[in-house]
Amino acid sequence: MNSTGVKVDGSIGAFSLDSTVPGAVSRGFDAFLREWQTQIGDGFPQPAYSPATIRDFRVKSRVAKVHDVAITDVHGASAVRTAGTPAGIEDQVRMYVVRRGAWALGGPRDRGQHIVSTGQFLLRHVGRPSHFETAPNTTARVLVLPATTLKPLIVNRIITGPADTAEMRVLAAHTNMIHETMTDLGPAGVHAVHSTLIELVKAVALRRFDNAEPQLAPALAQAAKSLADTHLADPELTPTMLARELKVSLRTLQRAFAALGESVTAYIRHRRLEEARLALTAPHGRRNISALAAYWQFADSSHFTRVFKKRYGQTPTEYARSTGSAGN
């Protein structure tokens, strides 16, 4: 069983645990509860789980707490199911984002059962505990959020939709950044990422961004970068296309990148150059310089050669030769 945990102070905490590795099942569930209690705490109580879940808990998880928000990324090789009749009162907003598999909320006999399937999300206020059950090999992200700020926007609605909308892409980019950087953040940084997270969930609930919210800039820029990285060979990739897909104005997107000290166009060009550089050293299926220029959407081989040399100090042919690869 692989487990790492870092608790910086009482307001933030993080751990990752993998009980899918061979020999870890017998200790996996206990380790998960122990890490949760140590790093996340009583403010986010775990439900009672079924005996079958406890016996066969093959789950890879990554969890972060930022003040009154908990973010859990989970891949369950085994099914996970709660047990008994949940009691008590909860006053939280929860979001379920399923990338693979299915997450059922409420028991099969409940009139209000909802199933979040692959590529979907569900956002709702939770007043009372409810059952949940996941299918084997489910990969999902669960956010537990404060009701004080978000309940007035959601009221009694259950908000569902595809997980790849513009708002969800930016939210996903921001939560990924939280996982990757939170243990290195100072108090001001922790406050900023928490505030931004709440604003992005509001955007999901309202289906629009607050373009005047400056704290959204890093998350918006990261989402645009992730989207651009999947379209680098697409001739339609432009700042305008990215802004349209993310449902913000071009000026808003440009301001988000400017806050990071770069431009959208420069990012696209640099990433295309980097992919072309890697292609020059590929052991098989190398393209010639003209073909590379065309594939990565440079105007012609001369333009490609000029910008390549400006960035790397060598022409593409010189670079290929210096690395022992053929170039022409």
Side-chain angles (χ1 to χ4, degrees):
M1 179 178 60
N2 298 328
S3 174
T4 60
V6 178
K7 189 167 185 175
V8 181
D9 59 40
S11 64
I12 64 175
F15 75 90
S16 59
L17 184 143
D18 186 357
S19 62
T20 64
V21 295
V25 174
S26 61
R27 298 176 293 130
F29 184 78
D30 290 341
F32 176 79
L33 288 186
R34 183 171 59 251
E35 291 287 354
W36 186 279
Q37 182 63 38
T38 302
Q39 304 292 340
I40 310 304
D42 295 333
F44 303 90
Q46 284 289 311
Y49 290 92
S50 69
T53 296
I54 295 171
R55 287 193 305 269
D56 184 23
F57 191 77
R58 289 174 289 120
V59 175
K60 183 176 182 179
S61 55
R62 181 174 65 165
V63 186
K65 179 182 78 169
V66 185
H67 296 311
D68 51 4
V69 175
I71 307 166
T72 302
D73 287 358
V74 58
H75 170 71
S78 59
V80 178
R81 187 177 188 278
T82 54
T85 303
I89 297 175
E90 292 184 347
D91 188 24
Q92 296 172 327
V93 169
R94 292 184 185 173
M95 174 181 283
Y96 303 84
V97 187
V98 177
R99 296 297 179 185
R100 184 172 66 175
W103 196 298
L105 301 167
R109 298 180 181 177
D110 293 350
R111 294 178 60 187
Q113 185 187 34
H114 298 276
I115 297 178
V116 190
S117 56
T118 300
Q120 299 291 308
F121 79 88
L122 182 147
L123 176 66
R124 71 175 185 180
H125 173 254
V126 178
R128 297 177 58 189
S130 62
H131 286 292
F132 72 82
E133 181 175 3
T134 69
N137 295 310
T138 291
T139 300
R141 171 172 285 166
V142 180
L143 281 72
V144 181
L145 303 145
T148 305
T149 306
L150 297 170
K151 183 180 176 181
L153 296 178
I154 298 171
V155 193
N156 296 320
R157 292 184 300 155
I158 294 176
I159 301 171
T160 61
D164 63 351
T165 64
E167 296 85 0
M168 290 298 295
R169 283 173 175 163
V170 180
L171 177 60
H174 184 63
T175 48
N176 287 339
M177 285 193 291
I178 290 176
H179 279 302
E180 293 165 5
T181 65
M182 66 169 293
T183 57
D184 297 321
L185 294 173
V190 171
H191 175 76
V193 298
H194 175 270
S195 298
T196 302
L197 182 65
I198 299 301
E199 291 299 320
L200 289 171
V201 176
K202 287 181 182 178
V204 172
L206 297 171
R207 289 183 167 87
R208 60 177 173 81
F209 291 112
D210 178 358
N211 288 351
E213 176 53 64
Q215 290 184 334
L216 302 187
L220 178 58
Q222 185 58 47
K225 289 178 179 181
S226 298
L227 183 58
D229 287 348
T230 65
H231 291 80
L232 289 174
D234 186 346
E236 301 300 319
L237 175 60
T238 63
T240 300
M241 184 271 270
L242 293 174
R244 182 176 66 249
E245 290 295 315
L246 294 172
K247 291 171 62 177
V248 296
S249 69
L250 178 59
R251 183 172 177 79
T252 295
L253 184 62
Q254 290 171 331
R255 285 202 306 263
F257 272 76
L260 303 179
E262 60 184 331
S263 72
V264 189
T265 301
Y267 177 80
I268 294 171
R269 182 175 64 251
H270 292 164
R271 286 290 293 114
R272 283 172 166 169
L273 281 171
E274 177 63 12
E275 291 299 324
R277 183 187 68 81
L278 294 174
L280 284 168
T281 61
H284 304 290
R286 286 189 299 270
R287 295 180 172 90
N288 61 34
I289 302 305
S290 296
L292 276 178
Y295 184 81
W296 294 112
Q297 305 305 315
F298 292 94
D300 51 42
S301 58
S302 297
H303 176 235
F304 172 55
T305 298
R306 186 167 62 253
V307 295
F308 190 98
K309 184 173 183 179
K310 182 177 181 180
R311 183 160 180 82
Y312 298 111
Q314 295 177 301
T315 67
T317 301
E318 291 168 344
Y319 181 84
R321 287 173 178 165
S322 71
T323 58
S325 303
N328 50 58

